[in-house]
Amino acid sequence: MKLPYILHIPSATLAVELQLLSTLPDGRNTLHWQLELSELRSEHDISLAEFYNDAEFVVAATTGQIYKGNIEGELTLLSSLPVMGVDGGKGWLDKTRQEFWYAITAKMGDEQGDRLYGWSLRDWSLITEIQLPEYLDIQQLHRRSDGNFVFYQKRSRDLHKRSQGFWVINPVTAEADYHALDSLPAAGRFKTRNMLALCPKRDLALLPSVDALPWKETDGDLQLGFQLQLIDLNSFNTLWVKTLRWLGNDTEQMLDLEVRQTLKAYFAGEEVDDDEVEDALEEWVDTLKGIRFSDNEDACWLCWTDGALRKIYLSNRQQDHQLAGMSALVRPAQVDEPRDLSNPLNQVAFNQYGYHLQTLGDQQLAVINFDIKVVDISKVKPCDNEFAQLMVSYQDGKQAELEMSEAFRIAYTKEGLNVINIDYLALPECLLEGLQQMQQRTACLVEHVKGSRLEWLIEDRDGSQRTEAEFAAMAIELPIAAELMVQMVEDFCAYGDAYSLRGSQHKAALSDIVLTLAEFDIAHLPLVSRYLNTIDLGRFGAFHIQHTLPVIQQKYGQSLLNKLKYNKFIKSLPAKLTKT
């Protein structure tokens, strides 16, 4: 059953935010609420945001944060795990078993290692915590039909030592068994997220095969056969190895002749420099852009970096999923008169944005890169001629228009910002001009507060932008900058509705300016105290407990010279802060 709600992470916002949307009959989306994920710094930190029942969802970040939420707009941070590594953590939902799993690289003693955590979605109790074998690709996890987890592992990048296989992890006993494949991986940095497809419904894996390289040469056109292999993830047997595309002069921009000649020589047993071979193998595998199993049929879509597509058809499980056929090479071309086609992925949950290829019923395929091309696949069918090509049309998927109330527009969009325009952010005199504009507006807040929002964005003529925190840090050392900031905070504290004004969803207005002043000079602590006694600490106190007070304690609390002023400041704080 399709849920009526959509979880969406909007781009180009000043903070990482989660939206709850639903679809209107005219194709637009309507906003129900928008929440800030204040612990995150980028939308790319999101690993997963998905419903696990009709009313509740989980959000997992690569940086270790795990949230649970519901359609009423309640969002709770459940865990914040210490994550190491470049790619960060990865989360998966098992809706059938009502479990959530999260894999991270974390510090273990003096070293680092991989761990897998599991929670029951019924009460969010921790099921298990498992130490994983070393050097796994924790971004790729498959839960087999028997409940065991399967991780892919490529061993050694060295040309003559490389091997590949899968670890099977029992989540009950934590036992780990390695199953080596009887085939070699490509050398170099094998990008498993694009080049390895796992099919949870069928316990299959599809990945490139580079043990051999078929080739043929006609009239100076050297063509190499790109092969894929299908692996049974229960027996780890290779079900088949097939050539699914020939690359030659017509794909010169994707794979030039020199690389093809290097590969031909290497697989013919000639002596070739190892570094050249590794580079050539990496370029060879990188021509494949993505693999995606179809959800509703025994088939799979392939996409190459030149935009060409191919659909392969598999037999059923009883026939060991043999290659039953493949389509002509599909060449999408943009239609001359594009219709106003909304992005079909506006109607699905966030977790599906991570797929390079997304089938949209029998008629359309979404090819997702930096844009989304909606390809007409209605004429794609099995074809006996492996060199045949099929021209199809595509249209660019457009972002659905978002319908929202005026109050939401002020609260969540740029319309609710106080935008300060200056000439150039690099010039000190322009920074001071921006501060003067901000001070003039805070002197008359009744005219410049938007709803309950007093959030700043400073923008110059080149389009460069800075938030309040970034701008204050840039300007604080300039002459009279601190005085202007002090005047802003004083005017704010004198404003009748200052208590409820926010700079973001989790910060009171001017929080970053107050933090900057506190760190700049101990003389500003009385004003900081006045500010903290003015704002709603129930809503906004966490920021100052986590940032402002630790900065003050570290800078002034250890000094005998500052002891009296520091102690006076502590005594003047609201009880809500001194009890923490």
Side-chain angles (χ1 to χ4, degrees):
M1 182 184 72
K2 182 178 177 180
L3 289 173
Y5 298 109
I6 305 160
L7 291 173
H8 179 61
I9 312 294
S11 299
T13 56
L14 298 179
V16 182
E17 295 175 328
L18 178 70
Q19 294 178 333
L20 183 72
L21 312 175
S22 61
T23 305
L24 297 172
D26 60 6
R28 295 183 300 161
N29 290 331
T30 185
L31 176 68
H32 296 278
W33 49 250
Q34 183 166 314
L35 300 174
E36 182 180 334
L37 305 175
S38 58
E39 293 81 8
L40 309 185
R41 295 291 173 264
S42 167
E43 63 184 284
H44 303 293
D45 290 342
I46 302 293
S47 164
L48 176 76
E50 188 176 0
F51 281 95
Y52 55 87
N53 60 37
D54 291 347
E56 296 175 300
F57 60 84
V58 59
V59 178
T62 61
T63 48
Q65 290 78 20
I66 300 168
Y67 307 82
K68 72 170 183 177
N70 58 37
I71 58 175
E72 302 300 323
E74 297 171 334
L75 189 68
T76 304
L77 178 63
L78 294 173
S79 182
S80 187
L81 300 172
V83 175
M84 302 177 68
V86 176
D87 294 322
K90 179 73 173 180
W92 298 268
L93 269 183
D94 187 334
K95 295 182 182 179
T96 302
R97 298 176 177 86
Q98 282 291 286
E99 294 172 356
F100 172 73
W101 294 86
Y102 189 79
I104 64 169
T105 301
K107 190 171 183 179
M108 297 180 184
D110 295 332
E111 299 181 353
Q112 66 181 42
D114 297 327
R115 302 193 75 83
L116 179 65
Y117 299 83
W119 288 268
S120 169
L121 293 172
R122 293 174 178 85
D123 58 4
W124 279 99
S125 59
L126 186 66
I127 299 170
T128 188
E129 177 183 342
I130 301 171
Q131 183 169 340
L132 298 174
E134 294 182 331
Y135 308 120
L136 292 184
D137 178 7
I138 62 172
Q139 300 297 314
Q140 286 285 358
L141 176 144
H142 167 83
R143 194 161 201 188
R144 232 166 37 180
S145 54
D146 62 3
N148 289 332
F149 289 104
V150 179
F151 284 93
Y152 172 83
Q153 185 180 56
K154 174 186 166 184
R155 293 183 167 181
S156 181
R157 291 174 58 186
D158 185 273
L159 181 64
H160 302 289
K161 297 179 181 179
R162 70 195 195 280
S163 64
Q164 63 182 345
F166 290 90
W167 282 96
V168 177
I169 313 293
N170 186 314
V172 178
T173 66
E175 292 178 354
D177 297 310
Y178 181 71
H179 299 265
L181 298 184
D182 57 0
S183 59
L184 297 174
R189 293 184 61 83
F190 179 36
K191 300 180 181 64
T192 55
R193 258 170 285 179
N194 289 335
M195 312 306 176
L196 168 67
L198 301 172
C199 183
K201 290 185 177 180
R202 304 171 185 89
D203 285 348
L204 298 174
L206 188 62
L207 65 160
S209 174
V210 293
D211 285 44
L213 191 68
W215 64 274
K216 52 189 174 183
E217 192 167 9
T218 306
D219 298 329
D221 183 8
L222 174 61
Q223 296 186 37
L224 305 182
F226 198 106
Q227 295 189 315
L228 290 177
Q229 56 184 320
L230 187 69
I231 307 297
D232 183 327
L233 290 178
N234 290 296
S235 66
F236 297 98
N237 293 329
T238 302
L239 299 179
W240 51 257
V241 178
K242 299 290 184 181
T243 298
L244 297 175
R245 187 181 180 185
W246 291 89
L247 305 182
N249 289 345
D250 60 337
T251 56
E252 178 76 14
Q253 291 184 336
M254 187 167 60
L255 194 76
D256 62 36
L257 178 59
E258 183 178 352
V259 173
R260 283 179 278 144
Q261 289 174 335
T262 298
L263 291 172
K264 174 191 171 185
Y266 171 70
F267 283 100
E270 300 177 21
E271 186 173 341
V272 185
D273 180 77
D274 285 356
D275 289 340
E276 291 185 19
V277 174
E278 289 183 8
D279 290 343
L281 280 171
E282 187 169 356
E283 286 194 46
W284 173 247
V285 174
D286 280 351
T287 60
L288 186 65
K289 179 70 175 178
I291 310 172
R292 177 70 195 275
F293 281 97
S294 297
D295 294 327
N296 301 318
E297 61 177 324
D298 291 320
C300 186
W301 280 96
L302 312 174
C303 179
W304 279 268
T305 53
D306 63 350
L309 302 163
R310 172 157 274 160
K311 186 177 183 181
I312 61 174
Y313 301 84
L314 306 176
S315 62
N316 58 35
R317 185 181 298 275
Q318 288 70 33
Q319 297 174 317
D320 288 333
H321 298 295
Q322 292 302 302
L323 183 62
M326 59 183 179
S327 71
L329 196 65
V330 178
R331 297 281 190 181
Q334 192 165 19
V335 294
D336 294 332
E337 297 180 2
R339 293 171 293 171
D340 188 15
L341 181 68
S342 64
N343 174 2
L345 294 190
N346 288 323
Q347 318 308 330
V348 298
F350 171 82
N351 66 299
Q352 295 189 340
Y353 280 84
Y355 298 138
H356 173 63
L357 301 166
Q358 172 69 43
T359 51
L360 307 168
D362 298 330
Q363 304 295 313
Q364 294 177 321
L365 176 74
V367 181
I368 309 164
N369 292 301
F370 293 105
D371 57 1
I372 297 180
K373 294 180 173 63
V374 182
V375 181
D376 180 2
I377 57 172
S378 58
K379 297 181 181 179
V380 175
K381 59 184 179 181
C383 177
D384 293 333
N385 182 358
E386 63 180 330
F387 295 100
Q389 297 194 19
L390 175 66
M391 302 299 294
V392 299
S393 63
Y394 79 83
Q395 297 180 64
D396 290 322
K398 298 180 180 180
Q399 184 67 39
E401 181 183 345
L402 186 60
E403 189 275 334
M404 63 175 69
S405 66
E406 182 63 22
F408 276 2
R409 198 172 300 281
I410 293 298
Y412 300 131
T413 72
K414 193 172 180 179
E415 291 182 27
L417 294 175
N418 265 272
V419 180
I420 302 296
N421 294 298
I422 61 176
D423 285 339
Y424 298 106
L425 280 161
L427 297 179
E429 59 268 28
C430 295
L431 297 182
L432 288 176
E433 178 193 343
L435 270 178
Q436 288 167 346
Q437 290 185 51
M438 294 169 72
Q439 187 274 317
Q440 290 166 3
R441 293 192 190 185
T442 52
C444 192
L445 282 175
V446 69
E447 296 181 7
H448 297 288
V449 168
K450 300 186 179 183
S452 62
R453 190 178 181 191
L454 181 63
E455 185 172 0
W456 305 97
L457 178 67
I458 297 84
E459 190 170 35
D460 71 8
R461 292 170 60 179
D462 290 335
S464 297
Q465 297 178 338
R466 296 293 185 273
T467 62
E468 176 187 317
E470 295 166 336
F471 186 70
M474 292 173 66
I476 188 62
E477 298 284 351
L478 298 175
I480 79 165
E483 288 86 342
L484 289 169
M485 293 185 194
V486 165
Q487 188 61 55
M488 290 173 64
V489 179
E490 289 178 345
D491 290 338
F492 171 83
C493 292
Y495 181 62
D497 293 324
Y499 178 81
S500 60
L501 293 187
R502 65 177 182 88
S504 68
Q505 289 193 34
H506 298 288
K507 287 194 289 189
L510 301 188
S511 285
D512 294 303
I513 284 178
V514 168
L515 173 58
T516 302
L517 287 171
E519 188 173 15
F520 185 64
D521 196 318
I522 194 171
H524 296 134
L525 292 191
L527 179 61
V528 174
S529 174
R530 181 185 175 191
Y531 172 86
L532 294 175
N533 278 278
T534 299
I535 64 173
D536 182 354
L537 293 175
R539 291 179 60 198
F540 306 125
F543 173 83
H544 295 286
I545 292 171
Q546 295 169 11
H547 301 284
T548 308
L549 297 184
V551 164
I552 292 172
Q553 196 278 334
Q554 183 178 6
K555 187 158 187 180
Y556 310 119
Q558 310 300 321
S559 169
L560 290 175
L561 183 64
N562 297 321
K563 185 177 181 180
L564 289 176
K565 292 181 179 179
Y566 175 76
N567 288 340
K568 185 177 180 180
F569 167 75
I570 294 298
K571 291 178 181 178
S572 69
L573 292 176
K576 288 183 180 179
L577 295 182
T578 56
K579 289 179 181 179
T580 59

